[in-house]
Amino acid sequence: KLDPKVAQLRVTEEKESYVLRLESGRNVIRLGVEDRKNVTRRQLVLLARRGIALAKAQKIKRLAVSLADFTFPHLRMNEVDLGELLAVNFEMANYEFVKYKTPPKAGWSMVEEVVVYGKIGKEVKKGIEKGRIIGEAVNATRTLSNTPGGEMTPRVLAKAAREAAKNTNVLVRVLGLKEIQKLSMGGVLGVAKGSSEEPQFIIAEYFGGGRKERPIVLVGKGVTFDTGGLNIKPGDSMNEMHMDMSGGAAVLLTVILAAKLGLKKNVVALVPAVENMPSGSSYRPGDILRTMSGKTIEVLHTDAEGRIILADALTHAKKYRPRLVVDVATLAGATMAALGQRASALYTRDEKLEKLFRQL
């Protein structure tokens, strides 16, 4: 029997979504879906998030949900997958970056508890728990990305990676300036020259598969603040450039997530972490940088720093003899100009891999 203080989250065949208060005092959040037969997986994701958004708007702290309400047979999802999907998106929709805000007297409006009721087996509970862990990892990545550049330097990012990996089977190693010089990572060193913050090369390794299994290597761009260097960005374009390390944060938390989920895979994350700053010591347009591979790069524009540091990281990835390399980066503003803010660009010569990523 549900506590009357717990609001119910229901899916109804209506045009609108709204919150209904019953005579008993219970709140019911009604999510309108006019045509259940045409709901896509993406719409299901947005439906779950809408429920949390409505709860937060009404300062509802506790929710009860039945998986049956969110079951759409044509999507061919079993209860385990559905429980995971809902848990991931409940966590994501409940996220707010409030670290630098003054708490309101009534407290933050986040949902504190979601109760899943009905007949739920052990496997479904595991699916829900898996979704919760994934959602928390996504939110941890968001927190790193949202942290201002003055407080998210290469060293701080390296420290955050170590902290996140505590109590897991992930080994985090951080190469400092001398080690980067020893490896002849001229791309990383060149971009970092203009900053008083020394570069860091962060390595996170999780070996959950067999010893002979070739790993998946994830390479993430870790520019903790990007001014554009001597080719400095216009003022409006420099806003939010503390998020230029989002690829790095994503791959680090992915490896840690793999460990928390106990995946039987070998996964490695490589993150070249630098600041791209203008100063008397900055690299210049026209400079020639010799990368770890021995190949040289002619710098035509200092705001192309991402591909320069990633060249060294991709060369270092060869050390692992990877079966797959995935490069994650906030690399080109032209991508957003072409595709908008709700789509990502994907480049690969492997059509099977492209299809897999599209399914995900």
Side-chain angles (χ1 to χ4, degrees):
K1 189 176 181 181
L2 289 176
D3 185 332
K5 294 181 181 179
V6 179
Q8 278 187 293
L9 188 60
R10 304 297 307 271
V11 178
T12 63
E13 294 184 2
E14 299 176 82
K15 287 185 179 181
E16 305 294 332
S17 297
Y18 58 94
V19 179
L20 175 68
R21 187 171 181 83
L22 303 179
E23 291 183 3
S24 63
R26 186 195 300 279
N27 287 312
V28 179
I29 298 174
R30 298 172 70 89
L31 301 175
V33 177
E34 280 192 270
D35 188 356
R36 293 182 68 101
K37 293 181 181 179
N38 289 324
V39 169
T40 63
R41 186 184 178 95
R42 177 60 181 166
Q43 288 171 335
L44 176 57
V45 165
L46 297 177
L47 192 67
R49 295 180 186 180
R50 192 192 314 159
I52 297 297
L54 282 170
K56 289 168 68 177
Q58 296 295 321
K59 300 190 183 303
I60 294 171
K61 299 294 184 184
R62 301 172 67 198
L63 279 175
V65 58
S66 168
L67 294 184
D69 258 12
F70 286 87
T71 298
F72 296 84
H74 65 279
L75 294 180
R76 297 180 181 178
M77 293 179 65
N78 60 43
E79 284 192 329
V80 177
D81 293 336
L82 178 59
E84 179 185 328
L85 180 145
L86 292 178
V88 169
N89 288 285
F90 287 162
E91 287 286 350
M92 289 179 64
N94 202 36
Y95 176 81
E96 289 183 38
F97 185 63
V98 297
K99 182 178 178 180
Y100 300 95
K101 295 181 179 180
T102 302
K105 291 181 180 179
W108 303 112
S109 62
M110 275 82 90
V111 175
E112 295 173 357
E113 182 183 28
V114 176
V115 177
V116 181
Y117 64 92
K119 292 182 179 180
I120 302 172
K122 289 183 180 179
E123 292 304 311
V124 177
K125 288 181 181 179
K126 287 181 182 178
I128 293 170
E129 178 64 10
K130 180 182 177 183
R132 183 189 65 79
I133 293 170
I134 294 172
E136 287 181 349
V138 173
N139 291 342
T141 304
R142 289 162 137 181
T143 294
L144 290 179
S145 296
N146 279 317
T147 302
E151 295 189 29
M152 182 48 69
T153 63
R155 288 184 182 180
V156 174
L157 181 58
K159 182 181 178 181
R162 287 194 178 105
E163 288 292 321
K166 282 184 177 178
N167 302 316
T168 71
N169 293 327
V170 175
L171 173 63
V172 175
R173 293 184 291 121
V174 180
L175 308 183
L177 178 60
K178 290 183 179 178
E179 293 157 303
I180 293 171
Q181 289 171 335
K182 190 174 180 180
L183 289 170
S184 300
M185 291 184 171
V188 173
L189 294 168
V191 174
K193 279 172 59 178
S195 175
S196 59
E197 294 288 339
E198 292 186 357
Q200 308 280 286
F201 194 87
I202 309 166
I203 303 168
E205 299 171 330
Y206 168 66
F207 297 107
R211 290 184 180 181
K212 295 183 179 180
E213 181 182 311
R214 295 167 64 189
I216 296 169
V217 176
L218 309 175
V219 177
K221 178 182 174 183
V223 180
T224 58
F225 195 82
D226 181 20
T227 65
L230 291 180
N231 291 118
I232 198 161
K233 295 175 182 286
D236 291 344
S237 298
M238 204 184 299
N239 184 38
E240 295 191 345
M241 280 298 104
H242 60 281
M243 302 186 81
D244 215 14
M245 40 64 70
S246 297
V251 300
L252 288 170
L253 269 297
T254 297
V255 172
I256 292 165
L257 175 60
K260 289 182 176 179
L261 295 177
L263 298 187
K264 304 298 182 183
K265 298 290 180 182
N266 296 335
V267 192
V268 176
L270 304 176
V271 180
V274 299
E275 279 189 337
N276 186 24
M277 303 292 278
S279 74
S281 60
S282 294
Y283 75 133
R284 306 161 178 80
D287 280 359
I288 305 295
L289 304 178
R290 186 172 296 278
T291 63
M292 185 181 180
S293 68
K295 293 182 178 180
T296 56
I297 297 173
E298 180 183 9
V299 179
L300 300 180
H301 199 291
T302 61
D303 198 20
E305 84 299 329
R307 63 209 71 183
I308 293 174
I309 64 172
L310 289 169
D312 283 332
L314 290 168
T315 299
H316 192 74
K318 292 181 179 179
K319 166 191 169 183
Y320 294 92
R321 295 183 61 252
R323 55 187 281 233
L324 172 67
V325 176
V326 179
D327 183 344
V328 183
T330 46
L331 204 55
T335 299
M336 190 170 69
L339 304 180
Q341 296 186 6
R342 298 185 182 229
S344 297
L346 174 64
Y347 297 90
T348 180
R349 288 178 292 184
D350 189 327
E351 290 187 9
K352 290 183 179 179
L353 192 63
E354 178 193 353
K355 290 178 181 178
L356 175 62
F357 271 83
R358 286 184 181 277
Q359 288 172 1
L360 296 175

